[in-house]
Amino acid sequence: MLGDNARALVVGRDRGTGTVIFHPTYLAFCRDWDVQPRACAPYRARTKGKTEAGVKFVKRNGLAAQAFDSFAALEAHLGAWMAMADAREHGTTHEAPRLRFERAERAMLRPLPARALPRREQRLRRRVAHDAFVDVDTVRYSVPYRLVRDHVDVAIDEQIVRIFHGPTVVATHARSREPYARVIDPAHFAGLWRPAGPPVDATASLTALGRDLADYAAVIAGGGQ
């Protein structure tokens, strides 16, 4: 399956070996559907299909200058428009898309899995609270404090909770099933508070002012001022 270099699919590349580093969630998806992921070469438009032209065609020919009273009306319009678009002769292939599909593509498709695919993880969108926590099923998990008020993605499986900021994993926690628990990584708050200084010696402070505790004790004992 050939994909673009969107950040949701490709995390990076090893220039030395030419290896593509795919997003782990995308890799899990490909394993479940038994497909091999590929990525287009960066900045080389010829290595990918004409998906952008297809989107442009729908916007300019299927939706431009149209108005709809409801979403159902939009769906009905697009259904009829797709039948027309699939029957036209394509400007590049010089063949109707429907005919090309029946001739060269249908036989290449495999049937869908007979059994439901496993649900490997749940993925949620959350906004980091002011105290640098995100809430998942009443359990609160810490994230780096610099992400306060930012949006993050939370991936939850049976044992682990991983929190992403864009494609980067910013927090990993063991999943808690205790209601209203707080799961904290102290490193997420490092640098937020000043380190505590050495304890202050009150006697030394008084001595620096020319007094010590004995002077006050004598005043109290004598009733003086």
Side-chain angles (χ1 to χ4, degrees), residues 169-187:
V169 178
V170 294
T172 303
H173 298 283
R175 185 175 181 181
S176 173
R177 302 185 184 278
E178 180 183 352
Y180 307 106
R182 291 208 313 169
V183 183
I184 302 173
D185 182 347

Side-chain angles (χ1 to χ4, degrees), residues 67-121:
F68 305 97
D69 295 329
S70 65
F71 187 74
L74 168 63
E75 289 184 311
H77 165 77
L78 287 178
W81 179 85
M82 287 170 59
M84 178 274 297
D86 285 343
R88 86 193 195 292
E89 181 179 305
H90 194 278
T92 301
T93 63
H94 303 290
E95 186 177 10
R98 181 177 296 279
L99 295 177
R100 188 179 185 87
F101 172 76
E102 296 292 345
R103 175 180 59 79
E105 297 177 3
R106 180 185 289 277
M108 302 295 292
L109 298 178
R110 293 179 298 176
L112 293 174
R115 298 180 180 179
L117 294 173
R119 184 172 180 175
R120 296 187 179 275
E121 63 180 24

Side-chain angles (χ1 to χ4, degrees), residues 28-144:
F29 169 84
C30 291
R31 284 195 298 268
D32 285 344
W33 289 94
D34 192 25
V35 295
Q36 178 66 41
R38 304 288 186 194
C40 301
Y43 309 108
R44 294 185 62 190
R46 290 182 177 274
T47 63
K48 59 183 177 181
K50 293 193 173 185
T51 53
E52 286 81 359
V55 171
K56 191 185 304 179
F57 178 69
V58 175
K59 292 168 68 174
R60 294 179 179 178
N61 295 71
L63 297 176
Q66 299 288 334
F68 305 97
D69 295 329
S70 65
F71 187 74
L74 168 63
E75 289 184 311
H77 165 77
L78 287 178
W81 179 85
M82 287 170 59
M84 178 274 297
D86 285 343
R88 86 193 195 292
E89 181 179 305
H90 194 278
T92 301
T93 63
H94 303 290
E95 186 177 10
R98 181 177 296 279
L99 295 177
R100 188 179 185 87
F101 172 76
E102 296 292 345
R103 175 180 59 79
E105 297 177 3
R106 180 185 289 277
M108 302 295 292
L109 298 178
R110 293 179 298 176
L112 293 174
R115 298 180 180 179
L117 294 173
R119 184 172 180 175
R120 296 187 179 275
E121 63 180 24
Q122 181 183 11
R123 199 171 182 93
L124 305 171
R125 185 75 165 166
R126 290 290 187 266
R127 190 173 188 181
V128 182
H130 290 285
D131 56 359
F133 284 85
V134 295
D135 190 293
V136 179
D137 297 333
T138 76
V139 179
R140 309 193 74 218
Y141 298 91
S142 70
V143 300

